C-alpha cells in the first residue's frame, strides 16, 4: 500500500497542470525592406546581410583584429557580463531545487541528570536518536515549474546581454581605431604642410632681403608656418588621449597602440547589403535579450496565479531512538511518521489578486519594451544606411574640393613668384588647401564610422572565433 501510495503521488505530481499563460511571441509589424537601403530587383534574391558576417571578415586590418581579440579577452565589461551569466546559472539551480523534496539526516545524544528535591529523588536519563526526514511541497499547479521557466529565461537574457556587450565592444574598438588613424593622417598632413610652408618662408625672406618683396609678405608667410605648427601639438595631444582610450577598452593601463593599415587604405564596399528586416529579430542581441525578459515576465504570471490554489505538502520522518547507544539499532527502537497537509487560501486581503495584476502589468511592460526594441533597431539600421551613403557622397565632393584647392594653391604660388599677385592670394589659397585636406580626412573617417554603425545596428560582431 505504501508503494502504491508513493507511485500514485508521483503520477499525480507529473500530471499536474502549470497554471498561467504559455508564451507566445507578440506580433510585430516588420517592413519588407529597410528605408535607405539600395533597392533590389524583385527577381533577385536578397543578398547576405553585413550583420551575418563575422567581425574579422568586416574589419580586415590585421592590427585592428589583434586589438579586438585582446579586448574580448581582457575588457572588464565583457568579464563582468560573463560573471552575471554564472550568477544566473546558479539562480536557475536554486529555483529548480524547489520542485524536489528536501531530505535531511540528523543525530542527537542527550544525557540529563536532575538533582534530588524534597519530594522527588534524583534521576538521570539518556536518549540517543538518529533520523531521516523528508519534506515535499508538491508542485501540482506548476508554481515552481513556472518559476524555473522564468529563471531559465533570465539566464538566456543574461547570455544575450553578454553578446550585446561584445557587439558594442567590437564596434567601439573599431571606431576608436579608425579615429586614431584619422588623427595620424591629420598629423601627417600638418607636418607635411609645415615643411612646405617653412621652405616657402625661407624663399620669401630671401626675396625680402634682396628687396624683391616687402616685409608684409614675410609676415603673411610666417602666419602660414605658425598655423601649421600650432596644429601639431594639439593633434599629438589628441592622439595620445585616443591611445589611452583604446588601452582602457582593451583592459590595459594607458599606453601606446600599434598601427596597421592607413585610414585611406581601409577596405570597405561602396554599397552595404542590409538583408531582410525580419532577420534582425533573430540576429540583434538586444532584441533577443528583450524577448527573453518577456518570457521570464510571462512565466511569473503562472507563479502568482498558483497561489490561488491549495498547497499540498508531504512530510515524513524515520529513524531509531534508544536510551543506550549499544541498543540504538536493535530491539524495538525504530520510529517513523508520515503525513500530508493541504492549505487553501481563504482570505489574504487581496494580496494574491494584486500580485497577479502586478505580474500581468510587468508582462505587458516587457512586451512593449520588446516591440519598442524592434522599432528602434529598424530605425538604427535605416539611419546608419543613409548616413553611410551620404557620407560617401560628401567624401567624393570633398576629394574634388581638395584637388581644386591644391591646384589653386599651386597656381597662386606660381603667380606670386612671377610677380602677378600679392602674397595675400597665396595665404588665402594655402589656408583653403590645408583646411580641405583636413576636411577630407574627416570625411574619410565618417565613411568608415558609418560602416561600423551599420554593422553594429545589423546585430553583427558578437560571433567569436
Amino acid at each position: 500500500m505504501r508503494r502504491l501510495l508513493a507511485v500514485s503521488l508521483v503520477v499525480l505530481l507529473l500530471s499536474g497542470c502549470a497554471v498561467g499563460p504559455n508564451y507566445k511571441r507578440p506580433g510585430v509589424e516588420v517592413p519588407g525592406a529597410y528605408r535607405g537601403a539600395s533597392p533590389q530587383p524583385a527577381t533577385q534574391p536578397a543578398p547576405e546581410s553585413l550583420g551575418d558576417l563575422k567581425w574579422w571578415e568586416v574589419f580586415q586590418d590585421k592590427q585592428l583584429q589583434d586589438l579586438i581579440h585582446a579586448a574580448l579577452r581582457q575588457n572588464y565589461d565583457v568579464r563582468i557580463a560573463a560573471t552575471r551569466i554564472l550568477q544566473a546559472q546558479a539562480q536557475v539551480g536554486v529555483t529548480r531545487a524547489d520542485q524536489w523534496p528536501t531530505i535531511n539526516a540528523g543525530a542527537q545524544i542527550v544525557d540529563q541528570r536532575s538533582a534530588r528535591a524534597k519530594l522527588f529523588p534524583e534521576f538521570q536519563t539518556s536518549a540517543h536518536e538518529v533520523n531521516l526526514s523528508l519534506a515535499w511541497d508538491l508542485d501540482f499547479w506548476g508554481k515552481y515549474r513556472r518559476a524555473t521557466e522564468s529563471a531559465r529565461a533570465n539566464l538566456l537574457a543574461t547570455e544575450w546581454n553578454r553578446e550585446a556587450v561584445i557587439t558594442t565592444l567590437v564596434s567601439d574598438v573599431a571606431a576608436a581605431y579608425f579615429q586614431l588613424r584619422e588623427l595620424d593622417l591629420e598629423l601627417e598632413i600638418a607636418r607635411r604642410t609645415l615643411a612646405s610652408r617653412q621652405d616657402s618662408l625661407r624663399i620669401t625672406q630671401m626675396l625680402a632681403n634682396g628687396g624683391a618683396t616687402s616685409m608684409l609678405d614675410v609676415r603673411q608667410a610666417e602666419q602660414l608656418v605658425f598655423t601649421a605648427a600650432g596644429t601639431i601639438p594639439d593633434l599629438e595631444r589628441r592622439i595620445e588621449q585616443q591611445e589611452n582610450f583604446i588601452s582602457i577598452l582593451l583592459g590595459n593601463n594607458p599606453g601606446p597602440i600599434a598601427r596597421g593599415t592607413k585610414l585611406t587604405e581601409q577596405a570597405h564596399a561602396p554599397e552595404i547589403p542590409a538583408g531582410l528586416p525580419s532577420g534582425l529579430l533573430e540576429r540583434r542581441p538586444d532584441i533577443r535579450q528583450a524577448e527573453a525578459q518577456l518570457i521570464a515576465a510571462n512565466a511569473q504570471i503562472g507563479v502568482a496565479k498558483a497561489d490561488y490554489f491549495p498547497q499540498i505538502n508531504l512530510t515524513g520522518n524515520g529513524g531509531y531512538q534508544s536510551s543506550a547507544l549499544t541498543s540504538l539499532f536493535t530491539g524495538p527502537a525504530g520510529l517513523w511518521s508520515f503525513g500530508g497537509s493541504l492549505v487553501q487560501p481563504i482570505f489574504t486581503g487581496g494580496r494574491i489578486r494584486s500580485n497577479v495584476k502586478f505580474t500581468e502589468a510587468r508582462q505587458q511592460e516587457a512586451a512593449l519594451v520588446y516591440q519598442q526594441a524592434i522599432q528602434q533597431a529598424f530605425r538604427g539600421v535605416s539611419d546608419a544606411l543613409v548616413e553611410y551613403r551620404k557620407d560617401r557622397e560628401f567624401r567624393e565632393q570633398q576629394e574634388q574640393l581638395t584637388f581644386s584647392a591644391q591646384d589653386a594653391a599651386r597656381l597662386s604660388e606660381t603667380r606670386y613668384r612671377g610677380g602677378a599677385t600679392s602674397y595675400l592670394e597665396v595665404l588665402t589659397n594655402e589656408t583653403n588647401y590645408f583646411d580641405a585636406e583636413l576636411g577630407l580626412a574627416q570625411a574619410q573617417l565618417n565613411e568608415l564610422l558609418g560602416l561600423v554603425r551599420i554593422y553594429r545596428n545589423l546585430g553583427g560582431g558578437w560571433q567569436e572565433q
Side-chain angles (χ1 to χ4, degrees):
M1 290 296 296
R2 294 178 183 174
R3 292 179 180 178
L4 181 61
L5 179 60
V7 172
S8 300
L9 289 172
V10 172
V11 172
L12 183 66
L13 175 63
L14 294 178
S15 63
C17 60
V19 297
N22 293 323
Y23 173 73
K24 182 180 179 181
R25 176 180 285 184
V28 293
E29 183 179 352
V30 180
Y34 294 109
R35 184 184 184 189
S38 301
Q40 296 290 329
T43 57
Q44 181 178 346
E48 182 183 13
S49 172
L50 179 72
D52 292 325
L53 301 180
K54 309 297 190 296
W55 59 259
W56 55 91
E57 297 173 335
V58 177
F59 307 120
Q60 300 178 14
D61 187 329
K62 297 300 182 183
Q63 186 57 49
L64 174 56
Q65 292 178 358
D66 291 342
L67 294 176
I68 294 176
H69 276 301
L72 293 177
R73 290 193 309 269
Q74 303 168 180
N75 180 266
Y76 281 99
D77 289 334
V78 174
R79 292 159 66 183
I80 290 171
T83 61
R84 288 173 180 166
I85 292 177
L86 298 178
Q87 297 173 32
Q89 289 174 340
Q91 186 59 49
V92 170
V94 172
T95 305
R96 186 177 55 204
D98 291 334
Q99 300 180 45
W100 307 104
T102 300
I103 301 175
N104 296 307
Q108 180 176 323
I109 299 176
V110 178
D111 291 321
Q112 183 178 357
R113 180 182 182 279
S114 296
R116 178 179 179 181
K118 183 175 182 180
L119 299 177
F120 301 96
E122 64 177 40
F123 68 91
Q124 183 174 345
T125 62
S126 180
H128 304 82
E129 180 181 338
V130 294
N131 63 75
L132 194 67
S133 62
L134 178 146
W136 195 358
D137 189 355
L138 295 182
D139 192 25
F140 184 77
W141 311 110
K143 176 179 181 179
Y144 299 130
R145 279 173 284 162
R146 288 298 191 192
T148 302
E149 178 185 344
S150 178
R152 289 185 183 278
N154 283 325
L155 170 60
L156 185 61
T158 307
E159 291 172 345
W160 280 113
N161 176 69
R162 177 178 178 271
E163 309 302 351
V165 170
I166 290 176
T167 296
T168 301
L169 177 63
V170 169
S171 62
D172 285 350
V173 173
Y177 178 77
F178 290 147
Q179 289 168 341
L180 177 63
R181 298 306 282 140
E182 190 272 338
L183 291 173
D184 290 338
L185 179 58
E186 285 194 28
L187 182 60
E188 178 185 338
I189 293 171
R191 287 174 173 171
R192 184 181 68 244
T193 301
L194 176 60
S196 174
R197 290 179 177 181
Q198 287 173 335
D199 292 340
S200 179
L201 174 60
R202 282 193 293 268
I203 294 175
T204 305
Q205 288 174 336
M206 292 173 58
L207 293 174
N209 293 335
T213 187
S214 66
M215 185 57 67
L216 177 60
D217 291 345
V218 175
R219 292 292 179 256
Q220 290 174 335
E222 289 175 343
Q223 292 178 38
L224 291 176
V225 171
F226 298 150
T227 299
T231 306
I232 293 175
D234 182 63
L235 287 171
E236 291 174 338
R237 171 190 62 81
R238 293 167 61 190
I239 287 173
E240 189 165 338
Q241 290 177 338
Q242 189 69 12
E243 288 181 322
N244 293 343
F245 174 67
I246 295 176
S247 297
I248 298 303
L249 288 178
L250 269 56
N252 297 329
N253 291 325
I257 299 297
R259 270 65 156 183
T261 307
K262 292 183 178 180
L263 182 76
T264 54
E265 298 173 0
Q266 296 289 337
H268 60 285
E271 296 292 338
I272 301 298
L276 295 176
S278 57
L280 200 64
L281 275 62
E282 303 298 329
R283 191 188 311 113
R284 277 205 33 160
D286 58 335
I287 294 179
R288 300 296 298 272
Q289 178 187 2
E291 185 176 19
Q293 291 170 339
L294 173 58
I295 295 173
N298 186 79
Q300 285 297 323
I301 297 176
V303 176
K305 286 187 174 182
D307 288 338
Y308 278 125
F309 301 95
Q311 306 299 309
I312 304 173
N313 298 282
L314 299 179
T315 58
N317 187 62
Y320 296 92
Q321 187 178 48
S322 174
S323 60
L325 187 61
T326 55
S327 60
L328 180 61
F329 299 103
T330 62
L335 59 89
W336 63 269
S337 65
F338 178 80
S341 65
L342 184 148
V343 179
Q344 170 63 55
I346 301 297
F347 177 76
T348 60
R351 180 188 63 82
I352 297 177
R353 182 176 65 253
S354 297
N355 191 38
V356 171
K357 290 182 177 180
F358 173 75
T359 55
E360 289 175 341
R362 289 287 299 270
Q363 187 270 349
Q364 294 169 8
E365 177 190 3
L368 293 173
V369 170
Y370 170 66
Q371 294 169 326
Q372 182 185 47
I374 294 174
Q375 279 196 344
Q376 290 176 341
F378 289 154
R379 179 201 169 185
V381 173
S382 297
D383 287 350
L385 287 171
V386 70
E387 178 185 6
Y388 182 75
R389 186 175 70 252
K390 294 305 179 181
D391 282 343
R392 184 182 72 250
E393 294 175 3
F394 179 81
R395 186 259 305 161
E396 292 171 351
Q397 295 299 320
Q398 192 69 23
E399 286 177 344
Q400 297 181 21
L401 173 62
T402 303
F403 175 78
S404 179
Q406 181 184 24
D407 197 46
R410 180 186 62 81
L411 292 174
S412 63
E413 182 71 22
T414 302
R415 281 165 51 82
Y416 173 73
R417 298 287 175 83
T421 186
S422 67
Y423 201 83
L424 179 61
E425 182 178 303
V426 177
L427 174 64
T428 301
N429 286 289
E430 281 286 344
T431 301
N432 291 340
Y433 176 45
F434 184 51
D435 292 341
E437 278 197 294
L438 296 179
L440 177 58
Q442 185 64 48
Q444 291 166 333
L445 169 64
N446 290 338
E447 189 173 1
L448 286 171
L449 293 181
L451 171 67
V452 174
R453 293 189 186 100
I454 291 176
Y455 186 56
R456 175 176 176 177
N457 279 281
L458 286 173
W462 55 267
Q463 304 91 338
E464 298 183 60
Q465 278 183 330

